[in-house]
Amino acid sequence: MFLNGVIKAINSLPEKPRIAVCKFIVKVVLKKYATIHVEGMENLENAKKPTIFVCNHLSNSDGLVLTEALKSVAPTFVAGVKLSGNAFTQIGLNVVKTTSIVPNSSDSEGIKRIIKLIKDGESILIFPEGTRSRTGSMIEAKNGIVLIAKMTKAPIVPLGLYGSEKLLPINMEGNMESEKFHKADVTISIGEQFTLPKKLEGQDRKEYSEYATTYLMKKIAALLPEEYRGFYK
């Protein structure tokens, strides 16, 4: 209860001091608990912009560690709207640049905002699985990423992330406020930039979306140890 009160007090501050306090808290927490290893920085430096970053999703800490690793490009993260309604996760949302979308829906307004950001020159980061994996390995992705990539023609950079599920384990009952940080090594592997494959002869739109999504997710899986590849093993 005390912690919730502190968090609510922070979230009630004016924007500039609120963001400064939240950045300080996140910096202290990551320094204490996370040892972050980044591989493939040359792929980030060589990537054309704007870029669509795609990554597997294991923990509510993913946005924090990825923001730190990708600070030179500062992408906007696509986040589910429920995060903004949670006092605890709002600390992270004050640090991680986000645009919201309604999960598991055809949120046309959310998709339009994402497409506009990219066309305006902004790089974005999407978790194509749409939610954190409760299995500790990759789960089947949603196909919406294909529409965004096709509409913007932006190149894609895959990211493989692991160890964050130990840094901030998921509460299986869905109570995000009860999740606690633990000391952990977190690895982020940055792959080479690519574009989606062309539609094969005879493929309809649904078949192509599934084919292209699998192609994209296997790029992420290739950056992960085998035990994290799950559905895309």
Side-chain angles (χ1 to χ4, degrees):
M1 293 296 291
F2 173 75
L3 180 59
N4 284 341
V6 171
I7 291 169
K8 286 177 181 176
I10 291 170
N11 287 329
S12 69
L13 293 171
E15 184 178 10
K16 284 188 177 180
R18 183 179 74 243
I19 290 173
V21 169
C22 290
K23 283 184 175 180
F24 176 76
I25 291 170
V26 168
K27 183 178 180 179
V28 169
V29 168
L30 290 183
K31 185 175 181 180
K32 180 176 180 180
Y33 292 104
T35 302
I36 302 173
H37 309 275
V38 183
E39 302 169 351
M41 280 299 293
E42 69 279 4
N43 292 324
L44 185 62
E45 293 160 4
N46 296 332
K48 294 179 181 177
K49 299 174 181 63
T51 298
I52 299 173
F53 292 95
V54 290
C55 189
N56 59 308
H57 198 9
L58 295 168
S59 165
N60 268 334
S61 66
D62 292 350
L64 303 179
V65 295
L66 288 167
T67 292
E68 176 64 22
L70 303 175
K71 58 188 174 185
S72 63
V73 290
T76 296
F77 286 67
V78 177
V81 291
K82 69 178 182 179
L83 290 178
S84 61
N86 181 294
F88 180 74
T89 55
Q90 278 181 21
I91 295 291
L93 291 176
N94 281 301
V95 175
V96 179
K97 189 166 52 170
T98 63
T99 184
S100 63
I101 195 165
V102 180
N104 303 314
S105 73
S106 54
D107 182 2
S108 59
E109 290 304 312
I111 291 172
K112 284 178 185 176
R113 279 197 306 273
I114 294 165
I115 290 171
K116 184 177 186 305
L117 282 169
I118 298 169
K119 289 188 173 180
D120 287 346
E122 189 94 14
S123 290
I124 64 159
L125 190 148
I126 298 177
F127 299 110
E129 293 156 298
T131 187
R132 298 170 295 165
S133 170
R134 266 65 175 173
T135 66
S137 60
M138 294 178 76
I139 58 176
E140 187 173 9
K142 308 294 190 292
N143 295 334
I145 178 62
V146 174
L147 173 63
I148 292 167
K150 291 283 287 180
M151 291 289 289
T152 61
K153 296 181 170 49
I156 302 167
V157 169
L159 306 170
L161 170 66
Y162 59 96
S164 61
E165 81 285 359
K166 298 172 185 173
L167 177 64
L168 186 62
I170 294 173
N171 178 279
M172 295 302 177
E173 295 176 357
N175 182 6
M176 289 186 283
E177 292 184 12
S178 71
E179 294 177 355
K180 292 181 171 57
F181 282 89
H182 302 267
K183 289 191 175 182
D185 288 317
V186 180
T187 300
I188 301 161
S189 185
I190 303 169
E192 294 182 5
Q193 194 172 60
F194 69 96
T195 55
L196 290 179
K198 293 181 179 179
K199 188 183 290 188
L200 298 176
E201 188 175 347
Q203 280 184 327
D204 62 24
R205 184 180 297 176
K206 183 174 183 294
E207 288 170 334
Y208 173 73
S209 289
E210 292 173 354
Y211 162 70
T213 301
T214 298
Y215 178 89
L216 177 153
M217 294 305 287
K218 286 194 171 182
K219 293 278 190 182
I220 297 173
L223 299 170
L224 297 169
E226 189 172 351
E227 63 268 28
Y228 284 93
R229 296 175 186 172
F231 188 85
Y232 297 97
K233 201 173 273 188

